[in-house]
Amino acid sequence: MSTLLVKNIGCMQTPIGSFSHRGASQGENLKLSEAAILIKDGIIKEITSEGVMPEGADSADVVVDAMGKLVTPGLVDAHTHMVFGGYRQHEIPMKLKGAGYLDILKAGGGINYTVRETRKADFESLYDKTAAFLDEMAGLGVTTCEAKSGYGLDEETEIKILRVLKKLNEEHPLDVVSTFMGAHAVPEEYKDNSEGFLKLMIETVLPRVKAENLAEFADVFTEKAVFNKEESKIYLEAAKKLGFGLKIHADEIYPIGGSTLAGEIGAVSAEHLIKIDEAGLEAMAKAGVTAVCLPGTSFYLGADFAPARRMIEMGIPVAVSTDFNPGSCPSLNLQFIMNLAMLKYKMLPEEILTAVTINAACAINRSDLVGTLEVGKQGDLVIWDCEDFEMLCYRYGSNLALSTIKKGVLI
Ligand code: NIG
Ligand code: FE
């Protein structure tokens, strides 16, 4: 049994409740001053404020002095593609000369380049590289993340990626939630046979991922020249039958019906949504699908920004995540993504905190455990080098995380 006390918290700011926050509730945060948090065996036991100390504070095994600073829940990054071989900095000149994301992909670069490199990489090197990413994320205040496969696109490599993630979830302090994204692109060897590729993913790989318990969610890139709405539907229905939660990369470049499908099929989340149309917005609002918005991708691709304000007004729960990957967002700094959410989405600080904590947790089915600071939840929190959350949204380019605590342990 071990207890950790965080004392002398200037301001503790958190959303409340284990549900996705939409509309006005997206902007509601609890703020306590002169607070303290007692964590026992990884779970929050008591939270006090106004200088009152929790019962049992005197006998805590570890005492952390927050020195009057801001404390929030540990951040949740609900969308990453962090297991890959091969960065793509060599594509910069092509990109600067005007080649678009889909042009580079068509020319054999883009995702296909990373697929070739990931197939060549062995388990150990992928494990070490991904562990280093998780360390970096923890240092930036992230305590739970999602990660997708999708740079294998063959049975062996997709399984290798998901095994890396499973082992890291067991061995690294961060919680890692895995998503199978076999339908991320059509690999070169199936260039003229996308139907055959989907068949392989649906009939062979999906059942194996399920049998080996390697992922909770299935995701598909519903995009022009990748998978159309009908193909996406077939793949997601197969995943649903096997018991996977559903996610869709929808309306990133062209609105071809991904967000509408998310509503129709009961997806947990639809992600990107840069080009979402009216029908998609309505379908998501009606079905309560969480929008995972990824402003770092818009920033790096020089694209438009998703209409996050409109989504909040329509009652769609909005989460904000990195999309960390070597092609469209080579940054895993969720703090910078928060700056972008304020500047580009015009989200208010309270709405942003909800987006990177409880709404992100809802998008990966972890809202009972993380995403808020409340008695009974995991003791995941961050002490920030500032006094208020506005400062975090305002300062950019620095890392303001002072200490990250995961399940009651300083990491
Ligand atoms: O979410 N859009 C599809 N997948 C990733 C990018 C993958 C890549 O370019 O390597 C994304 O942006
Ligand atoms: Fe993505």
Side-chain angles (χ1 to χ4, degrees), residues 95 99-102 104 252-253 272 274 295-304 323 327-330:
K95 182 176 148 67
Y101 184 82
L102 294 178
I104 297 174
E252 179 177 354
I253 303 166
H272 284 290
I274 291 172
T297 305
S298 294
F299 174 76
Y300 188 74
L301 294 181
D304 292 337
D323 193 25
S328 63
C329 186

Side-chain angles (χ1 to χ4, degrees), residues 79-81 148 181 184 219 249 252 272 294 323 325 328:
H79 184 137
T80 80
H81 306 251
K148 303 170 198 296
M181 198 172 179
H184 191 194
D219 197 342
H249 275 59
E252 179 177 354
H272 284 290
L294 308 161
D323 193 25
N325 75 76
S328 63

Side-chain angles (χ1 to χ4, degrees), residues 192-365:
D192 302 313
N193 182 15
S194 64
E195 208 178 302
F197 175 68
L198 262 193
K199 193 165 166 340
L200 169 75
M201 288 298 133
I202 292 172
E203 292 180 9
T204 308
V205 192
L206 256 179
R208 183 159 169 209
V209 170
K210 188 70 202 171
E212 295 189 25
N213 193 21
L214 288 173
E216 285 177 47
F217 294 95
D219 197 342
V220 53
F221 191 12
T222 305
E223 186 56 68
K224 194 166 152 184
V226 192
F227 298 104
N228 63 32
K229 186 178 172 189
E230 201 41 46
E231 291 166 322
S232 305
K233 188 173 171 192
I234 294 168
Y235 167 85
L236 291 173
E237 270 171 355
K240 193 176 182 178
K241 249 193 214 144
L242 289 169
F244 288 94
L246 308 182
K247 294 177 166 290
I248 307 184
H249 275 59
D251 308 333
E252 179 177 354
I253 303 166
Y254 294 99
I256 64 159
S259 47
T260 316
L261 176 60
E264 287 164 359
I265 204 163
V268 176
S269 60
E271 334 227 334
H272 284 290
L273 307 170
I274 291 172
K275 296 289 182 189
I276 190 168
D277 56 14
E278 215 42 45
L281 286 165
E282 275 160 26
M284 286 182 64
K286 191 164 160 226
V289 179
T290 296
V292 179
C293 295
L294 308 161
T297 305
S298 294
F299 174 76
Y300 188 74
L301 294 181
D304 292 337
F305 285 80
R309 273 251 65 84
R310 184 84 209 292
M311 292 171 185
I312 293 173
E313 276 151 25
M314 287 185 72
I316 297 170
V318 173
V320 172
S321 296
T322 61
D323 193 25
F324 174 53
N325 75 76
S328 63
C329 186
S331 171
L332 47 68
N333 187 339
L334 194 50
Q335 291 176 51
F336 175 56
I337 301 300
M338 285 155 49
N339 302 132
L340 289 176
M342 181 193 72
L343 291 169
K344 298 296 185 179
Y345 291 158
K346 315 277 183 231
M347 285 173 70
L348 295 166
E350 290 82 0
E351 294 170 333
I352 294 171
L353 182 61
T354 299
V356 294
T357 56
I358 190 62
N359 280 6
C362 285
I364 54 173
N365 198 20

Side-chain angles (χ1 to χ4, degrees), residues 361-384:
C362 285
I364 54 173
N365 198 20
R366 287 294 183 281
S367 59
D368 288 347
L369 297 171
V370 302
T372 65
L373 294 173
E374 290 176 273
V375 171
K377 285 224 177 167
Q378 268 180 206
D380 296 3
L381 59 89
V382 185
I383 304 173
W384 300 98

